[in-house]
Amino acid sequence: SLGMLVVLLVLQQCGSAVGEAFGLKRSRKEKFAHTFSEMCYYIMSVIALSRLCWGASWFWPSGWHEVMFDGRVQQVADLEPYTAPADLKFFYMIETSYYISSFALLLVRPKKKDFFEMAFHHVVTASLQLLSYSTGYMRIGAVVMYLHDIFDPFMLFAKCAHYVKIPVLPDVAFVCCTIAF
């Protein structure tokens, strides 16, 4: 989690520099930097999970019947119960550390109106990831993570475009959000 915290803080500094390049004032630049760091993480997360699972039959809706027998009653061909590829386990660690680190940042950043909702969301998400990992339901967890994360880059990009006042782009990004949702 400490490594992820450092990554998020570096991305936040990059976002601050981008915000400064757009001439944003201090408070707006800070909001932009936080949103930018989240957007970068989710873009990397979606790309990594796509590359990791794209060729797996259980990743696609036509193979979801295989995923439902994940864990104790393993029915995915050529896999033993409670097994998953090392790269999927690694991705789980990265994703869980992201939510733990984001929770820590949420506690130290200026409080927003949705502070309690976001804190609850981070705690529940990290708990569900740890639960699916510990019970052997990582393939179901990967599908859920992907479906959950695919929406976020578009929404965060729309927020970034709104902060820098680029016309039309936030609306296009929100349309993409709607389609992804």
Side-chain angles (χ1 to χ4, degrees):
S1 288
L2 188 57
M4 179 57 71
L5 187 60
V6 169
V7 168
L8 290 175
L9 291 173
V10 167
L11 288 173
Q12 186 175 325
Q13 288 304 312
C14 292
S16 186
V18 171
E20 196 166 308
F22 275 102
L24 297 178
K25 302 289 184 227
R26 184 177 174 265
S27 124
R28 200 163 181 98
K29 181 175 75 171
E30 200 172 292
K31 289 179 184 178
F32 177 86
H34 296 163
T35 304
F36 181 84
S37 69
E38 291 176 25
M39 179 186 71
C40 290
Y41 172 76
Y42 280 112
I43 288 170
M44 290 184 287
S45 171
V46 167
I47 290 170
L49 197 53
S50 295
R51 290 189 56 151
L52 220 142
C53 302
W54 201 261
S57 63
W58 52 264
F59 188 67
W60 299 100
S62 62
W64 284 356
H65 68 284
E66 294 177 357
V67 172
M68 299 312 293
F69 295 105
D70 201 359
R72 293 186 183 100
V73 187
Q74 181 61 268
Q75 292 189 0
V76 178
D78 302 325
L79 291 176
E80 292 295 318
Y82 294 109
T83 61
D87 47 2
L88 183 57
K89 290 179 181 180
F90 182 72
F91 182 81
Y92 251 82
M93 290 186 335
I94 296 292
E95 189 82 359
T96 304
S97 68
Y98 169 76
Y99 279 99
I100 292 169
S101 299
S102 292
F103 179 75
L105 287 174
L106 190 67
L107 295 175
V108 298
R109 287 179 177 163
K111 305 292 184 264
K112 294 181 182 178
K113 287 184 259 182
D114 64 349
F115 171 79
F116 291 108
E117 291 86 351
M118 289 307 296
F120 181 74
H121 169 72
H122 283 49
V123 169
V124 168
T125 302
S127 299
L128 288 172
Q129 288 173 333
L130 291 170
L131 180 67
S132 70
Y133 184 88
S134 66
T135 57
Y137 288 91
M138 286 177 273
R139 289 172 206 66
I140 293 172
V143 171
V144 170
M145 279 189 272
Y146 188 79
L147 293 174
H148 176 270
D149 289 359
I150 194 75
F151 170 83
D152 290 315
F154 298 112
M155 179 193 63
L156 295 166
F157 181 75
K159 286 173 74 174
C160 284
H162 174 74
Y163 287 139
V164 296
K165 298 182 180 184
I166 298 175
V168 183
L169 201 51
D171 297 329
V172 172
F174 275 120
V175 167
C176 292
C177 280
T178 306
I179 292 168
F181 191 73

